Amino acid sequence: MSVRIVTDSSCDLPEDVIESLGIVVVPLSIRFGDDEFVDREQLSVADFWRMCGEREELPSTAAPAPGRFEQAYRSLLADGADGIVSIHLSGELSATLQSARTAATAIGDEARIEVLDSRSITVGLGLTVATLAERAQGGASIDELVDQANSLVGRTRVLGALDTLEYLKKGGRIGAAQAVLGSLLSIKPLIAIEDGKVEAAGKQRTRSRATKFVLDAVAAEPAIERVAVMHADCDDIDEFVAKVREFHDGEILVGEIGPVIGAHAGPGTIGVIYHVPA
């Protein structure tokens, strides 16, 4: 049985990983004011961060239409897929999951399509997607892949440090006075993904302290199975990865945060994603 993996462009996986594992990525859309772009098709990650620096409008995101998912599913089935596992950005944060489910319902009994909620974001989703795609290439059945996905949902950890409060202020998540005070004090918010939602994990006064907090928290884990690093246009990414290697000698997947998550986190966001053992 040939099972294919579908995800969305919030996964922030490197293009070479997507291609080598045969992953199909359905893009979200990004808006700057009245201008709308299809993520990764009409707007590269580099262009997104450039526009963030040039434009006053807060970028916003829109889920793919169900038709875009249906097109992707039917293309894979026509190409010989016997089943599809479609796993996406947390349903708590986006309508993307619902669009995928609507498309799967439209196809009905023509094929088995399992639509799953990763309960995660950015490379937290991406690391799970890559794991499933590797197993699919190895001949895993759709039931085995669904079981593994459900296991990974509860074992995926995402911990990050934001470099600026400006995007939280623009998005209305904190008041202007708080943002100004935070900027004057160089406050760096720490975030974690808990049950599909973005939760505060603390704050530090400087970027170096914030990144150290993230690294120390991961290093303190008794055991980790896979590790990835996420970053949003960060100049210090190589140094950060080198520090992760001090406590993890296995492969480290590095994903650049793109428009979907970057629109809310802002440039300079950096963090670690990992799976804990079952």
Side-chain angles (χ1 to χ4, degrees):
M1 179 182 238
S2 171
V3 182
R4 297 293 299 276
I5 307 299
V6 176
T7 189
D8 59 75
S9 62
S10 73
C11 71
D12 292 333
L13 283 171
E15 191 60 37
D16 61 335
V17 172
I18 291 169
E19 292 182 1
S20 66
L21 294 177
I23 299 164
V24 173
V25 179
V26 176
L28 281 78
S29 295
I30 312 300
R31 296 190 184 109
F32 281 90
D34 294 331
D35 300 325
E36 182 168 330
F37 307 89
V38 178
D39 188 17
R40 316 300 170 110
E41 292 182 4
Q42 299 173 327
L43 184 68
S44 70
V45 175
D47 285 342
F48 169 75
W49 290 119
R50 176 184 55 78
M51 291 179 69
C52 284
E54 294 175 352
R55 303 186 64 155
E56 293 184 1
E57 310 101 319
L58 172 72
S60 61
T61 60
R68 187 78 191 238
F69 280 107
E70 186 174 349
Q71 180 183 27
Y73 297 155
R74 291 194 181 279
S75 177
L76 288 175
L77 295 174
D79 196 39
D82 298 309
I84 296 169
V85 174
S86 192
I87 183 164
H88 300 286
L89 170 67
S90 173
E92 295 281 352
L93 304 173
S94 171
T96 300
L97 181 72
Q98 186 56 50
S99 287
R101 286 175 172 161
T102 299
T105 300
I107 290 175
D109 295 333
E110 296 177 45
R112 184 175 174 189
I113 302 173
E114 295 285 349
V115 180
L116 306 175
D117 188 345
S118 74
R119 308 294 287 176
S120 193
I121 64 172
T122 184
V123 192
L125 164 62
L127 197 60
T128 293
V129 168
T131 301
L132 295 179
E134 289 166 359
R135 289 208 62 196
Q137 284 192 340
S141 70
I142 193 166
D143 286 328
E144 290 171 331
L145 292 170
V146 170
D147 286 346
Q148 170 131 42
N150 288 332
S151 173
L152 290 174
V153 165
R155 297 192 288 116
T156 301
R157 306 287 184 266
V158 178
L159 184 61
L162 276 60
D163 193 54
T164 175
L165 292 166
E166 185 67 17
Y167 283 67
L168 294 178
K169 183 192 79 172
K170 286 184 179 179
R173 291 166 178 81
I174 61 172
Q178 285 181 284
V180 170
L181 179 60
S183 298
L184 289 173
L185 296 176
S186 299
I187 295 298
K188 307 299 180 185
L190 298 158
I191 59 169
I193 305 303
E194 301 287 349
D195 197 26
K197 300 176 184 178
V198 181
E199 301 288 355
K203 57 187 176 183
Q204 295 291 325
R205 292 287 296 272
T206 65
R207 181 172 179 82
S208 61
R209 288 182 181 179
T211 56
K212 184 178 186 302
F213 178 94
V214 171
L215 293 165
D216 288 348
V218 182
E221 287 280 2
I224 50 180
E225 289 185 344
R226 296 194 72 170
V227 174
V229 168
M230 60 179 181
H231 76 103
D233 198 31
C234 297
D235 293 335
D236 55 351
I237 182 60
D238 291 340
E239 177 185 353
F240 189 79
V241 171
K243 289 180 179 177
V244 174
R245 293 193 189 284
E246 292 177 6
F247 58 82
H248 180 74
D249 57 5
E251 179 186 2
I252 299 173
L253 187 153
V254 179
E256 186 171 8
I257 296 172
V260 177
I261 305 303
H264 306 285
T269 299
I270 197 165
V272 180
I273 301 95
Y274 55 98
H275 292 155
V276 297

